[in-house]
Each structure stands twice: as structure tokens, then as C-alpha cells.
Amino acid sequence: MKERFSMVVIDDIPAVVHGIANNMAWTEHGIKVVGTASNGLDGLHLIKEVRPDIIITDIRMPKLSGIEMIQQANQSGAKLIFISGYSDFSYAQEAVKLGGFDYIVKPFTPEQLLEVVLRAKSVLEEDSQRQRYVYDIERKLRESMPLLRQEYLNLLVRYRSHPQKVKERWDFLNVDMKDAGFIIFAVEMDNYYAGDTNAAINDVEVQRFALQNILEETLLAATKAVVFRDGINRFVCISNDHEGLDTLQLAEQCRENIARYSRATVSIGVGKTVEHIHDLPISYQQAVHALSYNFYSGGNSVFAYPLYEGEQTVTMTISSEKEKELIYILRSGATDRITSVIDEIFGEWNHIQPLPTPEKVRVYCMELMVTVRNAMNEELDVEDNRILEHRMEEMTYHSASITVLKSIATEICHLYCSHTKSKQKATANAVISQSIAYIRENLHKNETVDDYAKQVHLSTSYYSNLFKKVTGQSVLQFVVTERMEKAKLLILQGLPLQEVAELVGYDERSYFSDVFKRRTGFTPTEFRKQYQP
């Protein structure tokens, strides 16, 4: 759409006004004459009323001269074109000082005037385009200011820079805080999982917006502060510290208000006060370090730096006896004892002061699990090995609390224990199957449990327990059952009862008959009559 500019003509000669206003095709050039006047005073009222883009005015006029009129109109931005005779050249110089665009000497032709007006129009178009550009830049800057502030504040708390540059950027972003005495809270949403596909994006964004709003309201009620996002599930609060402000209590209020007014809980790390803007990274690192100790609480807690005065070096050890006991349990397949031993190992750290850093605990647990893996020296199947690698990765990178870490360690131990039990069961089944085959082939021999145990190279007690675990019967119960089943077949084949008794390991026929009746409810003779025609 072609831009139109407004113009007024002011001269005390009516013919000049009429000729300029009505006898030239201004509309063809995007110019509209919006008013005329015949003296300086009327011209002043006209200019103030219509605020034209171009003013064509005579210098010498009654009531007010053109120069006086322009001075009083104070119409900045309009292009001033003065017309007058040669004798008014000194006035023309003054007109130029007032910001006049050009000066036309009478008499002039319509072409001369048109050329000057079109040049004025061209300059107006350039000015208008420049103004639109500047306005667009300012608009974009206003719209992007929250993002600029977010990005700058994120950089400000992480990296130290020259104090003067930091101060200039701080002032440019118009942060409404005093530029001295700062303290940082690092606030983290508890139990937040970025991979939770069940949570709608809008719901997550609404929750984060609500948390930021609660933090801002709580802090601003006590001091000047600014809150911004630091990643997906963390916020950073920069607040002014001042006399009488209990920062730890303020952090507790933030935690309590979030728990009360939202569906979330947070953990908060509080840094120490720093005096200057360029020292904010110090307080930020302290706050993040303090926040990491929610590892012990599991969330919904506040930790202030320093957690402990003095020496921070902590030596973590586990007694060799506890380590050996854990390995023994895994090798023996005693699943029911895993949890209690893991609890005892983790419980030893509760008495260490100061508490070891979460990273130290993670590293030590990894070392413990590597020790377990090396001691077991077991080749897991593909699925179990996949589970093991996944749990080890979780232990290293995703164990948000000591409770989770302990749970992962317990699961890994159960994995190895279950693998051990499976191998033990397979081995036991093979050994007992071998023993059963031997028993069935040697029912005619009068052998003892000790004889059977020696045959598979096991102690009598271990063999007896293993046999019952696999078959559900004692060795002697199994032997008697097998003898009676074989005796039934031999009886039905018509063998003499004395020979049947000897073939199933009984020297005396009468004793064999007693055992057979107790087991079947029939004597050998009754059994034969019942099943033979």
C-alpha cells in the first residue's frame, strides 16, 4: 500500500495558496493538502491541529512571520519549505537554522516546487522506514527481553566476567534489585523424570509456571529477587540479602508454600551471601553443592552451605567382613539375607561426619558392585546381562537418592543370587538324577544312604538334604517306593515271591510281605490274585 503524506500551504497571497493547493496533482504523488492559511497566526493554529508532514510557508506574513510561526508551532519532524523573495535572504538563513528543508525564491515554477516537495517526500519515506525499523527492533527487543534475561542470568551465575561488563549487562536488562548483597537458592523439583511420556506437555509447563510463581511471590514478600529456570526441573533464585533476613527460614517458606499450593515438592540448596554481581557464580556453586545432599533426604528438604564446618575430606570404608559376608550370601544363593546385609552396609555411612558427598557414595557403590561381579565371575544370560548393565548405568547417572541407590544395589545382588540358585538347582537336579538312576539299577542291593552319597561324592547329610529338596522325599522313602513299584511288575510277571523279594533287596520273604502290605494295602499273594485272571 502506497504511503500518503499530508501537506499545508500558508501564504498571505490567496493566488499563491490557491495555485499551490489546487492546481497541482499532489494526489498522484501520494500527497494530500489538508489545509491552507493566509497569515501566520491562522497557520500556527492549523499546524497544531493537523500536524502535517510537509509545511509550505511564506516567510513574510501578517500577524506572525513564517519563522515566528514555526518557532511557536514546535513541529519537529515536518519538512519545512520556505518561499520568499530575494530581499529576504537573511531570513532564509535563519529558516535553515530552524531546520528548514529547503528555500524557494519567488517567482518559481510549479516544476521547481514539485521537485522540492518530492525530495521532501523521499526523505519522509526514508525517515518513516527508519522509524519502522527502529520500532520493530525495539518491539522484538521487548518481546525477547524475558528470554534475554533468562539466558544472561544463566550465564551470569555460571561464569565469572569483568565486573564492569557484568554491571553494564545487569543494568541493560533492568533487573529490579539492588546491585550489592546477593544470595542464591537452587530449587529442584523432586522425582521429576524428563522421560515421563504420560505427562502432557501442557501439564508440565503449567506446573513449572506455578512453581516459579510461588517462588517469586514468597521471595518478593521478603526482599527483592528474581527467579529464572535453570534446565528442565530446576530454578535459580537470586535475592538481595539484608540485615534481619533469615535466608534459611525464607528457603523453608518457599519449600512449604510449594508443598501447600501445588502438587509438587522441591529440594532447595542455599549458597552463602556474596557482595558483588560478578561473584554470583560462587554462591551458585555453593547452592548446587548443598542441593546435592537431597540425595540423603530423598527430597522436600532444605540444605544450606556449608553443610559442615572445617575439613570436608571423608574416607569411606566397608569392613572386609561385611564384604565377604555379602559375597558368601550371593554364592550360597541365600536370597532372604541380601536386604539385611545391604542395609547394614549402607547404615554404616549414617555415622560418618561429615556425610560423604553423594558422588563419593555413588562411586563407592559402583566399586562394591564391580567387586561383587568379579567375585561371582558368572556369565549371565543375555537378558540378565542387559538388566545388569542398565542397573549399573542407573547407579552411575540416575540414582537421585541414597534410597534409590540402595534399591539398585539390592536388585543387582538379587540378580546374581537368583543366577546362583538356578545353577545350583540345575546341578542338584543332575546329581540327584544320577543317584536315582543308580538306585533304580541297584534295588536288589541292600545299600545305605551313606553308600548312595558316596556314589555321587557328597557327604551323607548334604546328600540327604539335597535329595529331599529335589524329590520331596527322603532317600529311604524313595528307595522303598521304587522297590514296591518294581515288585508289582515282577509279581505280575509270575515270578515266585521269594525271588521277587530278593530282586528288590529283601532277604526275608516275610519282611518283604509286611512292607508290601503296608505300602499297597494287599499282601503279595492278594495283589497277584486281584490283577491276574
Side-chain angles (χ1 to χ4, degrees):
M1 181 178 179
K2 191 173 183 180
E3 192 167 7
R4 295 178 64 87
F5 295 96
S6 60
M7 183 173 72
V8 297
V9 181
I10 305 169
D11 197 299
D12 59 341
I13 302 175
V16 173
V17 173
H18 180 78
I20 294 174
N22 301 317
N23 294 338
M24 297 181 69
W26 297 116
T27 55
E28 295 179 6
H29 301 286
I31 298 171
K32 180 180 180 181
V33 178
V34 294
T36 62
S38 59
N39 61 69
L41 187 58
D42 291 342
L44 176 61
H45 295 320
L46 176 64
I47 291 171
K48 288 184 175 181
E49 179 183 354
V50 302
R51 304 181 65 84
D53 299 310
I54 301 172
I55 301 172
I56 299 176
T57 180
D58 192 4
I59 290 181
R60 285 182 175 272
M61 290 186 297
K63 297 184 180 181
L64 284 176
S65 71
I67 292 175
E68 291 172 331
M69 177 188 69
I70 294 302
Q71 286 176 330
Q72 293 184 35
N74 192 25
Q75 180 70 358
S76 61
K79 300 305 173 187
L80 308 176
I81 301 173
F82 292 95
I83 55 177
S84 196
Y86 285 106
S87 60
D88 297 323
F89 183 70
S90 61
Y91 289 105
Q93 290 179 313
E94 189 172 350
V96 171
K97 291 179 181 178
L98 285 173
F101 178 77
D102 209 339
Y103 182 90
I104 301 177
V105 179
K106 295 178 181 179
F108 54 83
T109 65
E111 290 75 14
Q112 289 175 315
L113 179 62
L114 178 62
E115 187 271 334
V116 174
V117 172
L118 291 182
R119 278 195 296 110
K121 175 196 171 188
S122 178
V123 173
L124 284 170
E125 288 175 335
E126 291 176 1
D127 290 345
S128 178
Q129 185 176 5
R130 190 179 301 109
Q131 288 175 357
R132 284 196 299 268
Y133 176 75
V134 171
Y135 174 79
D136 189 51
I137 292 296
E138 291 176 345
R139 178 184 58 80
K140 290 180 179 178
L141 182 60
R142 286 193 302 271
E143 292 174 353
S144 61
M145 186 60 75
L147 181 60
L148 288 174
R149 181 178 296 183
Q150 169 88 19
E151 292 180 353
Y152 171 65
L153 291 175
N154 266 298
L155 293 174
L156 180 66
V157 299
R158 281 177 167 79
Y159 308 105
R160 301 199 69 176
S161 184
H162 191 278
Q164 184 59 35
K165 290 183 178 180
V166 171
K167 181 64 167 61
E168 290 173 359
R169 187 64 64 87
W170 180 270
D171 292 340
F172 169 74
L173 294 175
N174 194 28
V175 181
D176 184 22
M177 292 181 67
K178 297 178 182 178
D179 60 359
F182 302 96
I183 191 165
I184 284 184
F185 297 171
V187 182
E188 190 168 83
M189 298 167 62
D190 295 328
N191 303 317
Y192 180 87
Y193 298 99
D196 185 2
T197 56
N198 294 322
I201 294 177
N202 287 342
D203 293 341
V204 173
E205 187 59 30
V206 167
Q207 185 181 53
R208 288 193 293 181
F209 176 80
L211 295 189
Q212 184 168 350
N213 191 52
I214 293 170
L215 288 170
E216 288 173 345
E217 289 185 357
T218 305
L219 292 170
L220 291 174
T223 185
K224 287 184 176 294
V226 61
V227 180
F228 60 94
R229 293 181 183 180
D230 182 22
I232 296 176
N233 66 323
R234 183 184 291 174
F235 299 91
V236 173
C237 309
I238 305 176
S239 64
N240 280 134
D241 192 16
H242 56 77
E243 187 177 354
L245 180 67
D246 187 333
T247 54
L248 191 58
Q249 183 179 6
L250 183 56
E252 285 287 358
Q253 287 177 357
C254 290
R255 181 192 64 79
E256 291 172 2
N257 286 346
I258 286 175
R260 182 181 298 117
Y261 300 117
S262 76
R263 294 176 296 173
T265 62
V266 296
S267 294
I268 303 176
V270 182
K272 296 183 72 175
T273 300
V274 293
E275 189 60 28
H276 305 291
I277 302 171
H278 57 270
D279 289 328
L280 282 172
I282 298 174
S283 186
Y284 173 76
Q285 291 299 328
Q286 293 170 344
V288 171
H289 177 76
L291 176 63
S292 69
Y293 279 77
N294 69 351
F295 174 80
Y296 288 100
S297 66
N300 198 23
S301 50
V302 174
F303 298 91
Y305 185 93
L307 280 79
Y308 302 96
E309 297 292 344
E311 182 60 46
Q312 290 287 321
T313 302
V314 178
T315 301
M316 292 182 60
T317 59
I318 294 180
S319 67
S320 59
E321 293 302 318
K322 290 293 180 188
E323 200 169 272
K324 289 177 182 178
E325 184 179 1
L326 180 61
I327 301 301
Y328 172 76
I329 287 171
L330 300 184
R331 284 177 174 170
S332 64
T335 307
D336 57 327
R337 295 178 57 191
I338 291 175
T339 300
S340 62
V341 173
I342 292 290
D343 284 344
E344 290 173 8
I345 291 174
F346 276 76
E348 291 182 359
W349 299 331
N350 292 335
H351 307 293
I352 299 176
Q353 293 295 331
L355 287 171
T357 64
E359 190 56 34
K360 284 185 179 179
V361 177
R362 290 188 183 96
V363 169
Y364 194 81
C365 281
M366 277 295 297
E367 292 175 351
L368 178 62
M369 291 302 101
V370 169
T371 299
V372 166
R373 182 165 61 182
N374 293 339
M376 296 302 292
N377 194 26
E378 297 285 353
E379 283 295 331
L380 303 176
D381 58 37
V382 174
E383 179 61 20
D384 284 345
N385 193 62
R386 185 191 65 79
I387 294 173
L388 174 65
E389 294 300 328
H390 179 65
R391 294 297 180 265
M392 294 284 270
E393 181 181 352
E394 282 187 320
M395 180 174 284
T396 306
Y397 301 109
H398 306 296
S399 49
S401 69
I402 195 169
T403 302
V404 173
L405 192 64
K406 184 166 69 171
S407 174
I408 295 172
T410 302
E411 185 176 352
I412 291 174
C413 290
H414 273 286
L415 184 68
Y416 275 116
C417 204
S418 296
H419 185 71
T420 300
K421 290 180 70 174
S422 296
K423 287 187 64 176
Q424 288 175 344
K425 185 176 181 180
T427 301
N429 288 340
V431 170
I432 299 305
S433 294
Q434 177 185 345
S435 181
I436 287 173
Y438 176 82
I439 290 171
R440 285 172 174 165
E441 291 175 1
N442 295 277
L443 290 174
H444 60 288
K445 296 180 180 179
N446 192 14
E447 293 190 346
T448 63
V449 174
D450 187 50
D451 295 328
Y452 297 137
K454 288 179 181 179
Q455 197 273 330
V456 289
H457 312 291
L458 296 176
S459 68
T460 303
S461 60
Y462 182 75
Y463 169 76
S464 298
N465 290 331
L466 189 63
F467 194 97
K468 187 165 187 179
K469 182 184 290 187
V470 173
T471 65
Q473 303 178 71
S474 69
V475 180
L476 293 179
Q477 286 174 329
F478 179 82
V479 170
V480 172
T481 300
E482 289 296 312
R483 282 175 170 174
M484 294 304 103
E485 291 302 314
K486 184 174 182 180
K488 291 177 184 179
L489 294 176
L490 296 175
I491 290 171
L492 294 178
Q493 290 174 9
L495 271 66
L497 294 181
Q498 181 60 46
E499 186 177 349
V500 171
E502 292 174 357
L503 288 175
V504 293
Y506 294 97
D507 294 332
E508 297 181 6
R509 174 183 166 179
S510 60
Y511 181 63
F512 162 70
S513 296
D514 290 340
V515 174
F516 189 90
K517 185 171 183 178
R518 286 198 302 270
R519 283 302 185 102
T520 65
F522 303 98
T523 65
T525 301
E526 291 171 341
F527 179 81
R528 175 177 289 170
K529 289 180 179 179
Q530 183 174 356
Y531 289 99
Q532 281 187 341

